[in-house]
Amino acid sequence: MKTRTLFLFVLFSCSILSAQESPYSRCEIQGEDVFIRFHESCLNSTNEDCAALEDFKKYDLSGLIKSGAYTTWTQDGWTLAKTGALTYQLHKKLSLFDKLFSMEDKFNIDISYWAYPVSERIKQGNHPVEKEPVRVDFKGNVEFVLKGRGNARQVILSGTFNDWNEKDFKMVKTGDVWKLKLKMPTGIYEYKFIVDGEWITDPANKFRVQNQHYTYNSILVVGKDVLFFLKGFQNAKKVALSGSFNNWDEDGLPLTKSKDGWRVVQKLPPGKHYYKFIIDGYEWIIDPDNKIQERDEGGNINSILMVY
Amino acid sequence: MLWFFFLSLGLKLQLLTGVRKILWFVLFCFICHMAGAAHITNLHIPVSQQRDGYIVPFTLQGGLIIIQAMINDSMGNFVIDTGAEGLVLNNKYYQGVTDESRSYYGVNGRGRGLTVSKNNNISAEGLTFSGITADVVDLTSIENNKNIRIAGLIGFALLKDFEVMFHYRERLIALSRVDSNGRIIDPMPFVLDKVDSLSFVMGNFIPVIEVKVNGFTKKFGIDSGAEINLLDLKRSKNIMTEFLPMRTIRLAGANNEENEVIAGRLQRVKLLDKYNCGAMGTVLMNMDNLNKIYRTNLDGILGFEFLSPWLFSINYKKQMLYLHPLKVVVP
């Protein structure tokens, strides 16, 4: 009995200690009041969990708390109060955030406050960051290949990347195969081959989109290689990846099992992507190692990945 | 030809409806003919200007659309700003004269005597505007924040005669000139389906749309010059649960004053009762000044955070905002 009591006491103490030591800061609006609640350890921390307190670092709140002078401190309508052994709250009336905003003030907002951290999953490839003209380059990052048209006299590659130009990108015949390598920035492109004047989609590419002529264009996604990795789940029989980039395909993209988890590399265009993992075909889970999540209309939480 | 078509149709109808009706119909045909003639006159633009629409590539500096344009024989960077009244020039590079008839709203309230510069010529990608009067204001804050030289802003007065497509993914805007009824005169070489549309009203010079935020209808201005959405402190009490505060931030303002605002994310914004927007970076602040400028009661401003995921066009004459399909892959 004594041993069990001691164990519970130690466990309880540890949990309190753990809770007290973890830095946090939260900005909350409750009715007419704005609160910034924080743990004392945040005062000297650059931890991202302490970001809500960032604007107050210049006030030496540590000194105020040590001296006890915080009880009478006010600044720009803010007051400071103690809420626990090591926890405090800043308070200001919501109505005091009433300074007039001028037309040009919108240009003074630093958008980095909202930036999602760039995922470490994105492998840095040779893809140009900003738009560059698409050009023929034997060291290019995309190769177009057309097989089965060995008898053709001429094959032209045309697409959104060159304003559907019908002359510029002449493909080169090697044996019975027509090829052309281009250097292309990341993006989503539509294209077709012009075989002796006949416009055809890429027979080797099943991804197509209907165009204004009620025919189809082939789709090419020049993206960055993104590694999706799910740690653990060694007992799972299969794991798949589903998200906004594959229309939340219920079968998903299969991940490969390894010693420490499951992984797959997927090319993704720049933008904001939502995803989840599917365990054994029925259990949809968010990425446990990705803090960036959003709730959709149905209340479901999805993981988010930004590709730049 | 149109006139003869209607007349022959009218003659056929004469047998059925009698003389009085055919007389009315002939009058109707004549009006149609005149209207058609007027329409054709409108379409008859000089040969040198007959062309496809204008495609202007841009770069993004943060969330700002920056195009390069020739202004009075020198190249400069301009922000495409649907929240601006017209052409605005940076007073760091351009001088003007005080126009006492113009007023502005500053941090100290309404003031008179805006500096203006007249007879400016600006062109980009073959699109030329001549004899434009510009407001001349201090835009160094953009330069400092973006670390780029900014010649000015391009706003409503230069965009209002076009259907303007914003393609953030491909980094281009496409401008098709429209007639007074909003019909396209200079079509694009490509046609994009319009999967949906919503009407807007003009709040002075900014398009104002209605969206639902957690079921409440709210009025927002569409402002491509705002990187982060704005939400009015006073008018948003009933949707405050959908504003998730992150922290306070201080904006440098005029007279070395700081403006403390609350930065957060706005969630559950719904467009046309069916399109859900993701949580968007938003600043909660006092919009009284902006509402005086826009002569309306906006609940907020929707900027880059809202606009960039869509492929959309704004037709200022029809006062319609069109949504185009993002490329849906068809296996």
Side-chain angles (χ1 to χ4, degrees):
Chain A
M1 188 67 185
K2 265 189 179 176
T3 311
R4 183 187 288 179
T5 308
L6 184 63
F7 173 73
L8 287 173
F9 176 75
V10 169
L11 191 67
F12 180 65
S13 305
C14 285
S15 68
I16 288 179
L17 200 62
S18 167
Q20 285 178 343
E21 283 181 350
S22 59
Y24 73 88
S25 66
R26 283 193 302 273
C27 183
E28 295 171 7
I29 298 174
Q30 292 176 349
E32 294 296 319
D33 301 289
V34 180
F35 296 100
I36 293 174
R37 299 192 166 102
F38 63 94
H39 188 273
E40 189 179 339
S41 58
C42 258
L43 291 167
N44 299 309
S45 171
T46 54
N47 188 317
E48 64 180 36
D49 293 328
C50 297
L53 207 57
E54 197 63 34
D55 221 20
F56 296 87
K57 296 261 166 93
K58 61 185 174 185
Y59 293 134
D60 188 24
L61 297 184
S62 287
L64 288 167
I65 287 170
K66 277 179 190 166
S67 68
Y70 68 89
T71 54
T72 55
W73 175 83
T74 62
Q75 188 75 44
D76 298 334
W78 289 99
T79 58
L80 181 57
K82 192 167 187 171
T83 54
L86 293 170
T87 56
Y88 296 83
Q89 74 178 22
L90 288 149
H91 169 252
K92 183 174 178 173
K93 281 285 180 195
L94 185 60
S95 58
L96 295 178
F97 289 86
D98 62 345
K99 281 197 178 170
L100 291 169
F101 198 88
S102 70
M103 277 288 271
E104 290 76 33
D105 280 344
K106 67 184 180 186
F107 299 121
N108 286 322
I109 301 172
D110 180 357
I111 61 169
S112 66
Y113 295 125
W114 288 267
Y116 289 107
V118 176
S119 175
E120 292 173 1
R121 294 147 190 271
I122 299 170
K123 295 177 177 177
Q124 294 304 317
N126 293 323
H127 310 293
V129 175
E130 255 306 333
K131 281 275 175 191
E132 284 180 10
V134 173
R135 64 173 192 270
V136 177
D137 186 338
F138 72 95
K139 290 182 180 173
N141 53 335
V142 179
E143 185 174 42
F144 293 85
V145 177
L146 176 63
K147 294 179 181 174
R149 294 287 183 139
N151 295 330
R153 281 175 285 119
Q154 186 185 53
V155 177
I156 306 283
L157 170 67
S158 178
T160 50
F161 40 80
N162 68 349
D163 293 332
W164 297 100
N165 187 294
E166 299 175 26
K167 295 175 184 170
D168 286 353
F169 290 162
K170 290 178 182 166
M171 299 185 73
V172 180
K173 191 173 165 186
T174 309
D176 281 347
V177 180
W178 295 86
K179 290 182 180 177
L180 188 68
K181 254 191 176 181
L182 297 182
K183 185 162 188 177
M184 304 178 79
T186 54
I188 303 173
Y189 303 95
E190 295 172 34
Y191 68 99
K192 275 189 155 180
F193 297 122
I194 312 173
V195 182
D196 291 337
E198 179 196 1
W199 291 73
I200 63 164
T201 52
D202 184 348
N205 181 357
K206 68 174 184 176
F207 295 107
R208 300 178 301 160
V209 63
Q210 196 173 43
N211 58 32
Q212 65 268 35
H213 307 297
Y214 299 101
T215 61
Y216 286 93
N217 299 333
S218 296
I219 289 279
L220 171 71
V221 177
V222 180
K224 289 189 174 177
D225 287 331
V226 179
L227 171 67
F228 289 89
F229 175 67
L230 178 64
K231 193 175 177 183
F233 288 87
Q234 294 295 306
N235 294 330
K237 288 177 183 159
K238 60 177 182 177
V239 175
L241 173 70
S242 183
S244 49
F245 39 82
N246 62 3
N247 289 329
W248 295 101
D249 183 0
E250 294 195 353
D251 293 330
L253 183 71
L255 275 73
T256 307
K257 192 173 184 180
S258 60
K259 282 182 183 174
D260 51 350
W262 298 75
R263 66 190 70 220
V264 67
V265 174
Q266 168 78 354
K267 277 196 188 302
L268 290 180
K272 185 176 180 179
H273 304 281
Y274 300 82
Y275 69 98
K276 272 187 166 176
F277 294 114
I278 312 171
I279 312 296
D280 290 335
Y282 65 92
E283 188 186 357
W284 292 62
I285 64 163
I286 55 170
D287 184 345
D289 290 329
N290 184 358
K291 283 184 180 177
I292 305 166
Q293 301 154 0
E294 266 181 24
R295 192 180 293 275
D296 66 17
E297 189 201 19
N300 304 304
I301 297 174
N302 299 314
S303 299
I304 289 176
L305 182 71
M306 299 295 287
V307 179
Y308 296 95
Chain B
M1 287 300 290
L2 192 65
W3 193 85
F4 285 114
F5 169 73
F6 280 117
L7 186 58
S8 62
L9 187 63
L11 286 171
K12 286 175 185 170
L13 286 173
Q14 182 189 23
L15 298 171
L16 302 171
T17 57
V19 175
R20 185 187 287 178
K21 285 191 177 175
I22 187 62
L23 286 175
W24 279 109
F25 196 80
V26 168
L27 180 63
F28 169 68
C29 292
F30 181 67
I31 292 168
C32 285
H33 172 72
M34 293 310 289
H39 176 60
I40 288 166
T41 305
N42 281 341
L43 281 175
H44 184 73
I45 50 180
V47 172
S48 62
Q49 290 181 26
Q50 280 181 348
R51 50 159 296 152
D52 291 335
Y54 303 86
I55 295 177
V56 183
F58 65 76
T59 56
L60 277 178
Q61 288 291 333
L64 292 182
I65 296 174
I66 310 282
I67 69 161
Q68 284 208 313
M70 184 76 82
I71 172 82
N72 303 333
D73 301 325
S74 63
M75 286 299 283
N77 296 316
F78 285 83
V79 178
I80 299 294
D81 184 357
T82 59
E85 187 166 11
L87 182 62
V88 179
L89 294 176
N90 191 345
N91 66 8
K92 188 172 170 185
Y93 312 112
Y94 301 95
Q95 295 180 332
V97 293
T98 305
D99 183 348
E100 290 295 338
S101 67
R102 300 289 304 281
S103 61
Y104 62 90
Y105 284 93
V107 288
N108 298 318
R110 189 169 188 153
R112 286 208 164 272
L114 196 62
T115 305
V116 299
S117 165
K118 295 185 176 175
N119 286 321
N120 292 285
N121 299 320
I122 181 167
S123 63
E125 302 295 328
L127 178 60
T128 301
F129 302 91
S130 302
I132 304 294
T133 298
D135 294 343
V136 182
V137 303
D138 181 4
L139 297 175
T140 49
S141 59
I142 314 179
E143 294 195 320
N144 294 338
N145 290 333
K146 300 298 170 196
N147 202 21
I148 181 177
R149 190 178 156 119
I150 294 290
L153 316 176
I154 291 174
F156 166 71
L158 276 62
L159 302 174
K160 67 182 171 58
D161 295 325
F162 296 88
E163 184 169 297
V164 189
M165 185 186 79
F166 291 79
H167 202 328
Y168 281 89
R169 293 186 182 201
E170 290 294 331
R171 305 278 203 274
L172 62 88
I173 56 172
L175 299 102
S176 302
R177 199 184 299 273
V178 295
D179 65 16
S180 57
N181 296 314
R183 286 175 295 205
I184 289 174
I185 300 169
D186 298 333
M188 282 294 145
F190 52 85
V191 178
L192 288 176
D193 290 339
K194 292 171 177 172
V195 289
D196 247 318
S197 61
L198 72 157
S199 60
F200 61 81
V201 296
M202 292 305 294
N204 198 358
F205 48 85
I206 193 171
V208 179
I209 63 167
E210 288 189 347
V211 297
K212 290 263 178 74
V213 183
N214 195 21
F216 292 96
T217 301
K218 293 286 172 184
K219 282 165 51 175
F220 281 84
I222 298 290
D223 186 355
S224 64
E227 293 177 276
I228 296 295
N229 298 334
L230 309 179
L231 190 64
D232 185 46
L233 189 68
K234 296 175 186 170
R235 302 177 59 84
S236 305
K237 296 278 165 69
N238 55 354
I239 56 167
M240 202 50 76
T241 51
E242 307 312 323
F243 178 73
L244 312 174
M246 294 157 47
R247 56 173 294 180
T248 59
I249 58 174
R250 289 168 191 271
L251 311 179
N255 306 325
N256 293 324
E257 286 187 19
E258 283 187 329
N259 196 350
E260 188 180 34
V261 296
I262 303 174
R265 294 188 198 276
L266 183 63
Q267 64 176 5
R268 295 186 190 277
V269 176
K270 208 166 190 177
L271 190 64
L272 283 170
D273 271 337
K274 57 181 168 181
Y275 299 108
N276 295 300
C277 306
M280 298 176 286
T282 301
V283 160
L284 185 67
M285 32 65 79
N286 182 342
M287 281 181 52
D288 286 357
N289 251 352
L290 297 183
N291 275 330
K292 285 174 187 164
I293 293 165
Y294 293 130
R295 297 178 196 159
T296 185
N297 290 319
L298 295 178
D299 298 296
I301 295 283
L302 295 172
F304 171 77
E305 284 276 305
F306 169 80
L307 299 171
S308 57
W310 303 96
L311 176 52
F312 67 98
S313 298
I314 295 176
N315 188 317
Y316 281 94
K317 297 292 184 198
K318 286 186 177 174
Q319 299 199 349
M320 293 295 288
L321 191 147
Y322 300 107
L323 300 179
H324 306 292
L326 290 169
K327 299 300 179 191
V328 178
V329 176
V330 184

